[in-house]
Amino acid sequence: MISLDSFSKNQQEAIITNDKHLRIIACAGSGKTTTVAGKVAYLLDCKNGFDIKPENIIAFTYTEKAAGELKNKILNNVGRYRGMADMYIGTIHGWCLKSLQENQYEYQSFSVLDDIKLKLFVDKNYDIIGMKEVTKLSNPSVSLRRFIDTSLFIKIMDIVRESEIEKNRNFPDNILKAKNKYQKVLLSKRYFDFSMIMEKALECLQDDTNLAKSIRANLKYLIVDEYQDVNPLQEKLINRLQEISGCKLVVVGDDDQNIYQWRGSNNKYIINFEDKFDRDKVKTIPLSLNYRSSEGVTILSETLISNNVKRILGKKMESSKSQNFKRDSDILYNRYTDVNLENEAIAQYINDILGVKFKDNDDVEPRGVAFSDVVILLRTWNKASSIVQALEKYNIPYITAGVNQLFEMDEIKAALAIFNYLYGDIDEEQLKEKWLDIPHAKIKLEKIDHAISQLSEKKPSIGEIKDNWEYSLQDIFWNFLSNAEVYEENFIDSSSKELEQRSKERAEIIFFNLGKFSQVINDFETINFNSTSPNFHLFSFLSFITYVAKDYYPEGWLNNPYKTPNAVQIMTIHQAKGLEFPCVVIPGLNHNYLPSKKRGGLSEWHFLDRSLINEQSRYEGDDDKEDERRLLYVALTRSQKYLLLTQAPDLNNRLYKKESLFVQELISAKINSSPIMITDLKHKFSISEKIDPKPKEKIKNISLDFTSLKDIFECSYRFKLISVFGFCYPLNQRMGVGRSFHNCLMEIHKEAKKGFLLSEDELSELINRQTHFPYLTKSIKLSKPLYDKVKNNVEEYYKDNLDEFKNIEFVEQEIQYKIDSNILVVGRIDLIKKIGDSGHYETTIVEFKSDEDDADAPLTKDQLKLYALGHRELTGEMANYIMTYVIGKNKPKAPVKLYDNDLEEIQQKIKDSVALIRDEKFILTDEREICSENCYQIRLCSNRIKYNIKPRR
DNA sequence: CGTTTTCCGTTTTTT
DNA sequence: ACGGAAAACG
């Protein structure tokens, strides 16, 4: 457990104050996450007498990444503490979904649409989804247009559901009608969008449901991170949870870092938090000591933000001075006569700062600044391409997710050409050319010809359509890659050592992009798998690419969680929130850029009356520039020590000629009455200050589930193809059988555990509810047999296992197992049975497999052993047996006795696998036995040639 | 030099 | 569709 000594006085107070609602105002770099993690550990430590168990605490964060970091810190604090898997640490949306599905079983078969899939879904269902109901305020005969205004419609639906309506007002009938239609269509196809998950969860909490009961019984502390970013709907949910349970609220945030107001978040909730409660029941603790940045950075930022009026009174960020501040070199503001000069100067500055001594903290020796220590922060992406050009000119490595669109990459142009060819837009020669155009590709001519001839058989026929056609673009894509023998190795040039290294990296990027393209197909087919004809399917895919996907998908190497190259990062200020860098460059301090110009054009407010929404102006930006000032504040406070701000008039754009009004505010910042920011000093760092550049070793937090772990166990290259490159497997109409089985059994077991036996009618109703085949086409012959298969097998299972139901201990139990300080394995156990009385009993962990899975595989045993490990972590007890139950064959396999060394063995196996991921050793297996037609990735793997394997269709 | 007219250019993103 | 900057006007 933790010691309080390592915390500051205010941090300690935040940790030990637990009898009141707490507002922690945490400035940038104040050790917020560490403090919250410390607080949780303090609450759990029985020495402190709180009688708090993991399930009594819920912690909400805004991103999965933030959740991962918090979880990791908490687990490192508490060590092996029993039952930690029962503590919810994650996003609000994640919690809502989980709670809904646990409480209302029919939601088990639902899935959540992300924004691109939602867009596809709305367009597909344009006629019935309510888009036509939304009409222009100035001219009610004009309604939202299909394809063109889809994202406006989605925005309006979000505002309608997530914002707070003005008192005594109501939405007009057409908007309400649209909302009802929209939600009805989503529900009927068993989909949620993000707002709906929260709305439904809130609804569920209004009544005295099982969920409400469980909250009342369990919840004692509700922690909300980034509280400045909650929107009205989230605030309602938080309040509801608090009212039901009477729990203590712990909100953590910084009103100065609210930069998502245009998305509906409202700063007032954190500013007015204390007013919600009686004076003596609430406390505010400021964490205003910044451990990240030098005094120069800290006072500069503070001077800027103090120009904002709408903020919590009397707060002031101060520096811990863990970084020293050197005037005249650390913080520079340079003006140039032209943007091109500005960009080149930035490139020169980066080259110059390389190797300058930097200390990560007081306890370590200084190292030289490396490329990866530098970040260039942008207000808008349109600035990026000219900066990239300058960096390329000076040979500075960089990574970014916003400059190159995915569809501008050669390999993606080639991949897309496959479908242009199928549709008849281009001929064989043009398609061939596209593939041979990819730089450094060693694709064999005859293989490309072979692939194209195979492809030509897949051209959709215009004539009659077979009743049960299946036309999978994903399958076509995979087969093409396989037939043309497009393998990662074919992009590697081994003629010299240096070339080999460079081309290896390029090959990875090419495959990463092809993997992205596979995801694009998957996004499209998830929604549109059941089209009216193959030809139309192809046509709508190509339209989707041209009109939607083209400027939607970035080339995402930056987001690759398993790679941290030594390169300058370019990102938007929004993306940089929560990060820190030794050196921050903020270019383009121009009027109309930062602060940015308000946007013109058709907006949601031409369809939705502004006066309906409480504090509507926050969506559009206030006139006083406070939003934009906060943005610059966030950008500045990312820096630990070095800051370069630059400005130049853009000769080609009349909007960006004047200097930003924030510059004067920054110039006025002073320490001991001399200015902090040095203006127009073209500083050179002296050679004597420099040592060898050495990138900081970044510790990656990795969370693995059994599915990905299974891949590494078997073949680490398969893991690379799926988890690193992101290839998606082709969909097919039969999908959903396994999940339907699973959900049926889950519900049966949960009911049985409560002691309910089901009548025949109830059972068939249950099966109806849980059976779902999302990709079945409308002209279905398959529907009945698939449904019957689920029904027969579930009914048989129910009959055969009536006697066993009384032994159920856990159903769908979440487990987690910490491998080391940054690696967590998570999973969910289908069923745990306990036989015998309290004096002497035996525990069995059960995993269900449908007959399509290979239940005999040795890997299933590994999976169960892993679960046993998680079970021991959860309960402190060692399970006695593990067993699988094959549903299709409807027979249990005999339980296998579990021994201590089984758990040690699996632990070691996981450790070895994780080491492979860390060292990025995703190698092809050399063992023939592992490669077979059953490996579903064999089509993308050169072992198919080496071992001459025919992929299974 | 102040006012009116014309014409140009046009975010941020997570769940 | 609209704000803002430059050009044109008086």
Coordinates of all heavy atoms in Angstrom, one line a residue, chain A residues 133-135 137 153-180 183 199 232-233 236 604-605 607-616 618-619:
Chain A
E133 N -37.8 15.1 -41.6 CA -38.6 15.9 -40.7 C -37.9 17.2 -40.3 O -38.5 18.1 -39.9 CB -38.9 15.1 -39.4 CG -39.2 13.6 -39.6 CD -40.6 13.4 -40.2 OE1 -41.5 14.3 -40.0 OE2 -40.7 12.4 -41.0
V134 N -36.5 17.1 -40.4 CA -35.8 18.3 -39.9 C -35.7 19.3 -41.0 O -35.1 19.1 -42.1 CB -34.4 17.9 -39.5 CG1 -33.6 19.1 -38.9 CG2 -34.5 16.8 -38.4
T135 N -36.4 20.4 -40.8 CA -36.5 21.4 -41.9 C -35.8 22.8 -41.5 O -35.7 23.1 -40.3 CB -37.9 21.7 -42.3 OG1 -38.6 22.0 -41.1 CG2 -38.5 20.4 -42.9
L137 N -35.3 26.5 -40.6 CA -36.1 27.4 -39.9 C -36.6 28.5 -40.8 O -37.8 29.0 -40.7 CB -35.3 28.1 -38.7 CG -34.9 27.1 -37.6 CD1 -33.9 27.7 -36.6 CD2 -36.1 26.5 -36.9
F153 N -27.4 16.2 -39.4 CA -28.5 15.5 -38.7 C -28.0 14.8 -37.5 O -28.6 14.9 -36.4 CB -29.1 14.5 -39.7 CG -30.2 13.6 -39.1 CD1 -31.4 14.2 -38.8 CD2 -29.9 12.3 -38.8 CE1 -32.4 13.4 -38.2 CE2 -30.9 11.5 -38.3 CZ -32.2 12.0 -38.0
I154 N -26.9 14.2 -37.6 CA -26.3 13.5 -36.4 C -26.0 14.5 -35.3 O -26.3 14.3 -34.1 CB -25.1 12.7 -36.8 CG1 -25.6 11.5 -37.7 CG2 -24.4 12.1 -35.6 CD1 -24.4 10.7 -38.3
K155 N -25.4 15.6 -35.7 CA -25.1 16.7 -34.7 C -26.4 17.2 -34.0 O -26.4 17.3 -32.8 CB -24.5 17.9 -35.4 CG -23.0 18.0 -35.2 CD -22.5 19.4 -35.7 CE -21.2 19.2 -36.3 NZ -20.9 20.3 -37.3
I156 N -27.4 17.4 -34.8 CA -28.7 17.9 -34.2 C -29.3 16.8 -33.2 O -29.7 17.2 -32.1 CB -29.7 18.2 -35.3 CG1 -29.3 19.4 -36.1 CG2 -31.1 18.4 -34.8 CD1 -30.0 19.6 -37.4
M157 N -29.2 15.6 -33.6 CA -29.7 14.5 -32.7 C -28.9 14.5 -31.4 O -29.5 14.3 -30.3 CB -29.6 13.1 -33.4 CG -30.6 12.9 -34.5 SD -32.3 12.9 -34.0 CE -32.9 14.5 -34.6
D158 N -27.6 14.7 -31.5 CA -26.8 14.7 -30.3 C -27.1 15.9 -29.4 O -27.3 15.8 -28.2 CB -25.3 14.8 -30.7 CG -24.7 13.4 -31.1 OD1 -25.4 12.4 -30.8 OD2 -23.7 13.4 -31.7
I159 N -27.3 17.1 -30.0 CA -27.6 18.3 -29.2 C -28.9 18.1 -28.6 O -29.1 18.4 -27.4 CB -27.6 19.5 -30.1 CG1 -26.2 19.8 -30.6 CG2 -28.2 20.7 -29.4 CD1 -26.1 20.9 -31.7
V160 N -29.9 17.6 -29.3 CA -31.2 17.4 -28.8 C -31.2 16.5 -27.5 O -31.9 16.7 -26.6 CB -32.2 16.8 -29.8 CG1 -33.5 16.3 -29.2 CG2 -32.5 17.9 -30.9
R161 N -30.4 15.5 -27.6 CA -30.4 14.5 -26.5 C -29.4 14.9 -25.3 O -29.6 14.5 -24.2 CB -30.1 13.1 -27.0 CG -31.3 12.6 -27.8 CD -31.0 11.4 -28.5 NE -29.9 11.5 -29.4 CZ -29.2 10.5 -29.9 NH1 -29.5 9.3 -29.5 NH2 -28.2 10.7 -30.7
E162 N -28.3 15.6 -25.7 CA -27.3 15.8 -24.7 C -27.3 17.2 -24.0 O -26.6 17.4 -23.1 CB -25.9 15.5 -25.3 CG -25.8 14.1 -25.7 CD -24.4 13.5 -25.7 OE1 -23.5 14.2 -25.2 OE2 -24.2 12.4 -26.1
S163 N -28.0 18.1 -24.6 CA -27.9 19.5 -24.0 C -29.1 19.7 -23.1 O -30.0 18.9 -23.0 CB -28.0 20.5 -25.2 OG -29.2 20.4 -25.8
E164 N -29.1 20.8 -22.4 CA -30.1 21.2 -21.5 C -31.0 22.2 -22.2 O -30.6 23.2 -22.7 CB -29.4 21.8 -20.3 CG -30.3 22.0 -19.1 CD -29.6 22.7 -18.0 OE1 -28.4 22.9 -18.1 OE2 -30.2 23.0 -17.0
I165 N -32.3 21.9 -22.1 CA -33.3 22.7 -22.8 C -33.6 24.0 -21.9 O -33.6 23.9 -20.7 CB -34.5 22.0 -23.2 CG1 -35.3 22.8 -24.2 CG2 -35.4 21.6 -22.0 CD1 -36.1 21.9 -25.2
E166 N -33.8 25.1 -22.6 CA -34.1 26.3 -21.9 C -35.4 26.1 -21.1 O -36.4 25.5 -21.6 CB -34.3 27.4 -23.0 CG -34.3 28.8 -22.4 CD -32.9 29.3 -21.9 OE1 -31.9 29.1 -22.6 OE2 -32.9 29.8 -20.8
K167 N -35.5 26.8 -20.0 CA -36.7 26.6 -19.1 C -38.0 27.1 -19.9 O -38.0 28.1 -20.6 CB -36.6 27.5 -17.9 CG -35.9 26.8 -16.8 CD -36.1 27.5 -15.4 CE -35.0 27.1 -14.5 NZ -33.8 27.9 -14.6
N168 N -39.1 26.4 -19.7 CA -40.4 26.7 -20.3 C -40.4 26.6 -21.8 O -41.2 27.2 -22.5 CB -40.9 28.1 -19.9 CG -40.9 28.2 -18.4 OD1 -41.3 27.3 -17.7 ND2 -40.6 29.4 -17.9
R169 N -39.4 25.9 -22.4 CA -39.4 25.8 -23.8 C -39.5 24.3 -24.1 O -39.3 23.4 -23.2 CB -38.1 26.3 -24.5 CG -37.9 27.8 -24.2 CD -38.9 28.6 -25.0 NE -39.0 28.4 -26.4 CZ -38.3 29.0 -27.3 NH1 -37.4 29.9 -27.0 NH2 -38.4 28.7 -28.6
N170 N -39.8 24.0 -25.3 CA -39.8 22.6 -25.7 C -39.3 22.5 -27.2 O -39.5 23.4 -27.9 CB -41.2 22.0 -25.6 CG -41.1 20.5 -25.1 OD1 -40.1 19.9 -25.4 ND2 -42.2 20.1 -24.5
F171 N -38.9 21.3 -27.6 CA -38.5 21.2 -29.0 C -39.7 21.2 -29.8 O -40.7 20.6 -29.4 CB -37.7 19.9 -29.1 CG -36.3 19.9 -28.6 CD1 -35.9 19.1 -27.5 CD2 -35.4 20.8 -29.1 CE1 -34.6 19.2 -27.0 CE2 -34.1 20.9 -28.6 CZ -33.7 20.1 -27.6
P172 N -39.6 21.7 -31.0 CA -40.8 21.7 -31.9 C -41.1 20.2 -32.3 O -40.3 19.4 -32.2 CB -40.4 22.5 -33.1 CG -38.9 22.6 -33.0 CD -38.5 22.5 -31.6
D173 N -42.3 20.0 -32.8 CA -42.8 18.7 -33.1 C -42.0 18.0 -34.1 O -41.7 16.8 -33.9 CB -44.3 18.8 -33.6 CG -45.2 18.9 -32.5 OD1 -44.8 18.7 -31.3 OD2 -46.4 19.2 -32.7
N174 N -41.5 18.7 -35.1 CA -40.8 18.0 -36.2 C -39.5 17.4 -35.6 O -39.0 16.3 -36.0 CB -40.5 18.9 -37.3 CG -39.5 20.0 -37.0 OD1 -39.6 20.6 -35.9 ND2 -38.6 20.4 -37.9
I175 N -38.8 18.1 -34.7 CA -37.6 17.7 -34.1 C -37.8 16.4 -33.2 O -37.1 15.4 -33.3 CB -36.9 18.8 -33.3 CG1 -36.5 20.0 -34.2 CG2 -35.7 18.2 -32.6 CD1 -35.4 19.8 -35.1
L176 N -38.9 16.5 -32.4 CA -39.2 15.4 -31.6 C -39.6 14.1 -32.4 O -39.1 13.0 -32.1 CB -40.4 15.7 -30.7 CG -40.1 16.8 -29.6 CD1 -41.3 17.1 -28.8 CD2 -39.0 16.2 -28.6
K177 N -40.3 14.4 -33.5 CA -40.7 13.3 -34.4 C -39.4 12.6 -35.0 O -39.3 11.4 -35.0 CB -41.6 13.8 -35.5 CG -42.6 12.8 -35.9 CD -43.7 13.5 -36.8 CE -44.2 12.6 -37.8 NZ -45.0 13.2 -38.9
A178 N -38.5 13.5 -35.4 CA -37.3 13.0 -36.0 C -36.5 12.2 -35.0 O -36.0 11.1 -35.3 CB -36.4 14.2 -36.5
K179 N -36.4 12.7 -33.8 CA -35.7 12.0 -32.7 C -36.3 10.6 -32.4 O -35.6 9.6 -32.3 CB -35.7 12.8 -31.4 CG -35.0 12.2 -30.3 CD -35.2 12.8 -29.0 CE -35.2 11.8 -27.8 NZ -35.6 12.4 -26.6
N180 N -37.7 10.6 -32.4 CA -38.3 9.3 -32.1 C -38.1 8.3 -33.2 O -37.8 7.1 -33.0 CB -39.8 9.5 -31.9 CG -40.1 10.2 -30.6 OD1 -39.3 10.1 -29.7 ND2 -41.2 10.8 -30.5
Q183 N -34.4 7.0 -33.2 CA -34.1 6.1 -32.1 C -34.8 4.7 -32.4 O -34.2 3.7 -32.1 CB -34.4 6.6 -30.7 CG -33.6 7.9 -30.4 CD -33.4 8.1 -29.0 OE1 -34.0 7.5 -28.1 NE2 -32.5 9.0 -28.6
E199 N -28.6 7.9 -22.5 CA -30.0 8.2 -22.2 C -30.7 7.0 -21.6 O -31.5 7.1 -20.7 CB -30.7 8.6 -23.6 CG -31.0 10.0 -23.7 CD -32.1 10.2 -24.8 OE1 -32.2 9.3 -25.7 OE2 -32.8 11.2 -24.8
P232 N -24.5 18.3 -20.2 CA -25.7 18.2 -19.3 C -26.2 16.8 -19.1 O -26.6 16.5 -18.0 CB -26.7 19.1 -20.1 CG -25.9 20.1 -20.8 CD -24.7 19.3 -21.2
L233 N -26.2 16.0 -20.1 CA -26.7 14.6 -19.9 C -25.8 13.8 -19.0 O -26.3 13.1 -18.1 CB -26.8 13.9 -21.3 CG -27.4 12.5 -21.3 CD1 -28.8 12.5 -20.8 CD2 -27.4 12.0 -22.7
K236 N -26.4 15.0 -15.5 CA -27.6 14.4 -15.0 C -27.4 13.0 -14.4 O -27.8 12.6 -13.4 CB -28.7 14.3 -16.1 CG -29.8 15.3 -15.9 CD -30.9 14.9 -16.9 CE -31.5 16.2 -17.5 NZ -32.3 15.9 -18.7
E604 N -26.0 23.5 -38.0 CA -27.2 22.9 -37.3 C -28.2 24.0 -36.8 O -29.3 23.7 -36.6 CB -26.7 22.0 -36.2 CG -25.8 22.6 -35.2 CD -24.3 22.5 -35.5 OE1 -24.0 22.6 -36.7 OE2 -23.5 22.4 -34.6
W605 N -27.6 25.2 -36.7 CA -28.5 26.2 -36.1 C -29.4 26.9 -37.2 O -30.2 27.8 -36.9 CB -27.6 27.3 -35.4 CG -26.8 26.6 -34.4 CD1 -25.4 26.4 -34.4 CD2 -27.2 26.0 -33.2 NE1 -25.0 25.7 -33.3 CE2 -26.1 25.4 -32.6 CE3 -28.5 25.8 -32.6 CZ2 -26.1 24.7 -31.4 CZ3 -28.5 25.1 -31.4 CH2 -27.4 24.5 -30.8
F607 N -31.4 24.8 -38.5 CA -32.5 23.9 -38.4 C -33.0 23.8 -37.0 O -34.1 23.3 -36.7 CB -32.0 22.5 -38.8 CG -31.6 22.4 -40.3 CD1 -30.3 22.8 -40.6 CD2 -32.5 22.1 -41.3 CE1 -29.9 22.7 -42.0 CE2 -32.1 22.0 -42.6 CZ -30.8 22.4 -42.9
L608 N -32.2 24.2 -36.0 CA -32.6 24.1 -34.6 C -32.5 25.5 -34.0 O -31.5 26.2 -34.2 CB -31.5 23.2 -33.9 CG -31.9 22.6 -32.6 CD1 -33.1 21.6 -32.8 CD2 -30.7 21.8 -32.1
D609 N -33.6 25.9 -33.4 CA -33.7 27.3 -32.9 C -32.7 27.5 -31.7 O -32.7 26.7 -30.7 CB -35.2 27.5 -32.4 CG -35.4 28.9 -31.8 OD1 -34.4 29.7 -31.8 OD2 -36.6 29.2 -31.5
R610 N -31.8 28.5 -31.9 CA -30.8 28.7 -30.9 C -31.4 28.9 -29.5 O -30.8 28.5 -28.5 CB -30.0 29.9 -31.2 CG -29.0 29.7 -32.3 CD -28.2 31.0 -32.5 NE -27.0 30.8 -33.4 CZ -27.1 30.9 -34.7 NH1 -28.2 31.1 -35.3 NH2 -26.0 30.7 -35.5
S611 N -32.5 29.6 -29.4 CA -33.0 30.0 -28.1 C -33.6 28.8 -27.3 O -34.0 29.0 -26.2 CB -34.1 31.1 -28.3 OG -35.2 30.5 -29.0
L612 N -33.7 27.6 -28.0 CA -34.2 26.5 -27.2 C -33.2 25.9 -26.3 O -33.6 25.3 -25.2 CB -34.6 25.4 -28.2 CG -35.8 25.5 -29.1 CD1 -35.8 24.5 -30.2 CD2 -37.0 25.5 -28.2
I613 N -31.9 26.1 -26.6 CA -30.9 25.4 -25.8 C -30.3 26.4 -24.8 O -29.9 27.5 -25.1 CB -29.8 25.0 -26.8 CG1 -30.3 24.1 -27.9 CG2 -28.7 24.2 -26.0 CD1 -30.9 22.8 -27.5
N614 N -30.3 25.9 -23.6 CA -29.7 26.6 -22.5 C -28.2 26.8 -22.8 O -27.5 25.9 -23.1 CB -29.9 25.9 -21.2 CG -29.6 26.7 -20.0 OD1 -29.5 27.9 -20.1 ND2 -29.5 26.1 -18.8
E615 N -27.7 28.1 -22.7 CA -26.3 28.4 -22.9 C -25.8 27.9 -24.3 O -24.8 27.3 -24.4 CB -25.4 27.8 -21.8 CG -25.6 28.6 -20.5 CD -25.0 27.8 -19.4 OE1 -25.5 26.8 -19.0 OE2 -23.9 28.3 -18.9
Q616 N -26.7 28.2 -25.3 CA -26.4 27.7 -26.6 C -25.1 28.2 -27.1 O -24.4 27.5 -27.9 CB -27.5 28.1 -27.5 CG -27.4 27.6 -29.0 CD -26.6 28.6 -29.8 OE1 -26.4 29.7 -29.5 NE2 -26.1 28.1 -31.0
R618 N -22.2 28.4 -26.2 CA -21.0 27.7 -26.0 C -20.7 26.8 -27.2 O -19.5 26.4 -27.5 CB -21.0 26.9 -24.7 CG -21.8 25.6 -24.7 CD -21.8 25.0 -23.3 NE -22.4 23.7 -23.3 CZ -23.8 23.5 -23.3 NH1 -24.6 24.5 -23.3 NH2 -24.2 22.2 -23.3
Y619 N -21.7 26.3 -27.9 CA -21.5 25.5 -29.1 C -20.8 26.3 -30.2 O -20.0 25.7 -31.0 CB -22.8 25.0 -29.6 CG -23.4 23.8 -28.8 CD1 -24.3 24.0 -27.8 CD2 -22.9 22.5 -29.1 CE1 -24.9 23.0 -27.1 CE2 -23.5 21.5 -28.4 CZ -24.4 21.7 -27.4 OH -24.9 20.6 -26.7

